[in-house]
Amino acid sequence: MSTHAVPVEKYHGTGNDFLVVDAAAENVGDRAAFARAYCDRETGVDGGDFADDRGAPSGRRGADGVLFLSIEERFDPTRVVMTLVQPDGSTATMCGNGARVVARWAHDRTGDREFMIDTQAGTRRATVTADGSAATIEMGEPTFDPRRVPVAREGALADEPLVDEPVEGLTVTAVNTGVPHAVAFVDGGRDDHDGIDAVDLDAVAPPVRHAGVFPEGANVNLAAVVDDGAGDGPAVLDQRTFERGVEGETRSCGTGAVAVVAAARRLGLIEGESAVSRPPGGELEITVPDRGHATLAGPVAHEFSGALPADPR
């Protein structure tokens, strides 16, 4: 069994943090075990074990996943193959903040500012600012199609989107933004005493996440409209996400941010196609046009570099 040391980097996008492994250079035999060990919030990797690069560290042990990446520079734009293994050992088809981290990681290695990122949800175009402090990722077209979310219902409802309907105690809208999401809107934003932060997400989300109507499970989002965008600026929404595969709340979720904006537009809660989503970890800028690809933009930062045993057991 391999016991060699694997170089790793840690990055985060609005607090959504990831370990990154150069899969073209390093072999990790059991990726699921690697992710389960080092992403653990109690016992996983700690930046204090390595030299701090002063890259706006999130200051947390563990991570929200491990990105196994390989750069293929023979393409123009440079192509990066992305595989995200989550803390429970499962593989996610898409991750918006993860893809933005991929672009920053590739920028740090190549100096390029535009990339094509191959994900299991399709190839997505990404760009990075000149100083590498922010990245934008094309997110595909959100879909409410029950076959593509997927949603499983019988009878007359089988072919109908699940929009603003009760599921296990929450009223949710189901949308796929690369992975399945259930979005529930609540009254009151983060600044309100009885608003979004007063909800016990760890209690209300798991029944929805595992509901039979979601055969592949679902990420569960709470959202509150702070500004509907009817004025001069974009709409503003506060967001919290319980992530499938993490099995807990994350400080930010990019696919969730796009899902929240797409659902808000579908329900007529906001004006325009641009919005700012405010998860606990920062602010994300989202566009969801009537047709075509959504986009996700926001800050990215490098936390630390180090090396970890390939076999963590």
Side-chain angles (χ1 to χ4, degrees), residues 93-160:
T93 55
M94 179 56 182
C95 175
N97 287 325
R100 295 192 309 102
V101 162
V102 171
R104 166 65 188 269
W105 177 86
H107 168 75
D108 287 347
R109 273 148 189 76
T110 66
D112 294 349
R113 290 180 51 196
E114 185 174 346
F115 304 92
M116 298 301 290
I117 300 177
D118 286 346
T119 78
Q120 292 180 25
T123 301
R124 303 286 184 251
R125 185 177 296 271
T127 57
V128 182
T129 56
D131 64 358
S133 65
T136 300
I137 181 76
E138 176 188 271
M139 293 290 290
E141 188 168 354
T143 179
F144 298 87
D145 184 336
R147 292 162 295 184
R148 295 173 61 194
V149 171
V151 168
R153 295 193 289 183
E154 298 179 351
L157 293 175
D159 295 324
E160 294 295 321

Side-chain angles (χ1 to χ4, degrees), residues 141-185:
E141 188 168 354
T143 179
F144 298 87
D145 184 336
R147 292 162 295 184
R148 295 173 61 194
V149 171
V151 168
R153 295 193 289 183
E154 298 179 351
L157 293 175
D159 295 324
E160 294 295 321
L162 195 163
V163 176
D164 206 30
E165 296 182 34
V167 175
E168 299 294 336
L170 290 179
T171 299
V172 304
T173 295
V175 57
N176 189 303
T177 55
V179 290
H181 280 274
V183 181
F185 289 93

Side-chain angles (χ1 to χ4, degrees), residues 262-309:
R265 292 207 67 197
R266 176 72 181 243
L267 296 173
L269 300 178
I270 61 174
E271 302 287 337
E273 63 181 32
S274 297
V276 173
S277 183
R278 304 192 303 191
E283 292 191 355
L284 295 165
E285 297 175 9
I286 299 102
T287 59
V288 178
D290 291 332
R291 285 184 173 80
H293 291 286
T295 61
L296 173 74
V300 284
H302 183 261
E303 290 194 47
F304 61 76
S305 305
L308 297 168

Side-chain angles (χ1 to χ4, degrees), residues 3-313:
T3 57
H4 71 281
V6 175
V8 298
E9 313 266 356
K10 191 179 183 189
Y11 289 80
H12 77 88
T14 51
N16 204 184
D17 53 355
F18 302 91
L19 296 172
V20 184
V21 174
D22 186 343
E26 301 296 334
N27 179 44
V28 175
D30 190 339
R31 290 182 172 184
F34 190 90
R36 284 193 295 265
Y38 296 126
C39 291
D40 190 285
R41 289 297 181 187
E42 300 292 331
T43 61
V45 64
D46 183 357
D49 297 334
F50 306 111
D52 192 331
D53 289 318
R54 294 182 294 176
S58 66
R60 295 189 298 157
R61 181 180 289 276
D64 289 330
V66 181
L67 292 162
F68 292 93
L69 310 179
S70 58
I71 295 177
E72 299 182 4
E73 292 188 71
R74 66 182 183 277
F75 293 97
D76 184 19
T78 295
R79 189 173 295 267
V80 188
V81 180
M82 162 184 162
T83 301
L84 170 60
V85 182
Q86 296 180 285
D88 68 351
S90 65
T91 301
T93 55
M94 179 56 182
C95 175
N97 287 325
R100 295 192 309 102
V101 162
V102 171
R104 166 65 188 269
W105 177 86
H107 168 75
D108 287 347
R109 273 148 189 76
T110 66
D112 294 349
R113 290 180 51 196
E114 185 174 346
F115 304 92
M116 298 301 290
I117 300 177
D118 286 346
T119 78
Q120 292 180 25
T123 301
R124 303 286 184 251
R125 185 177 296 271
T127 57
V128 182
T129 56
D131 64 358
S133 65
T136 300
I137 181 76
E138 176 188 271
M139 293 290 290
E141 188 168 354
T143 179
F144 298 87
D145 184 336
R147 292 162 295 184
R148 295 173 61 194
V149 171
V151 168
R153 295 193 289 183
E154 298 179 351
L157 293 175
D159 295 324
E160 294 295 321
L162 195 163
V163 176
D164 206 30
E165 296 182 34
V167 175
E168 299 294 336
L170 290 179
T171 299
V172 304
T173 295
V175 57
N176 189 303
T177 55
V179 290
H181 280 274
V183 181
F185 289 93
V186 300
D187 293 329
R190 193 154 283 123
D191 295 333
D192 295 301
H193 176 69
D194 294 322
I196 191 171
D197 284 343
V199 179
D200 186 348
L201 185 60
D202 286 333
V204 302
V208 180
R209 180 257 185 268
H210 293 287
V213 73
F214 297 117
E216 295 179 7
N219 300 275
V220 181
N221 306 270
L222 299 181
V225 178
V226 177
D227 185 330
D228 66 5
D232 293 333
V236 178
L237 304 100
D238 284 345
Q239 169 196 347
R240 294 176 64 193
T241 303
F242 183 101
E243 286 201 49
R244 179 188 66 167
V246 177
E247 304 310 328
E249 183 174 4
T250 54
R251 291 189 57 75
S252 180
C253 176
T255 57
V258 176
V260 162
V261 175
R265 292 207 67 197
R266 176 72 181 243
L267 296 173
L269 300 178
I270 61 174
E271 302 287 337
E273 63 181 32
S274 297
V276 173
S277 183
R278 304 192 303 191
E283 292 191 355
L284 295 165
E285 297 175 9
I286 299 102
T287 59
V288 178
D290 291 332
R291 285 184 173 80
H293 291 286
T295 61
L296 173 74
V300 284
H302 183 261
E303 290 194 47
F304 61 76
S305 305
L308 297 168
D311 174 18
R313 289 166 292 181

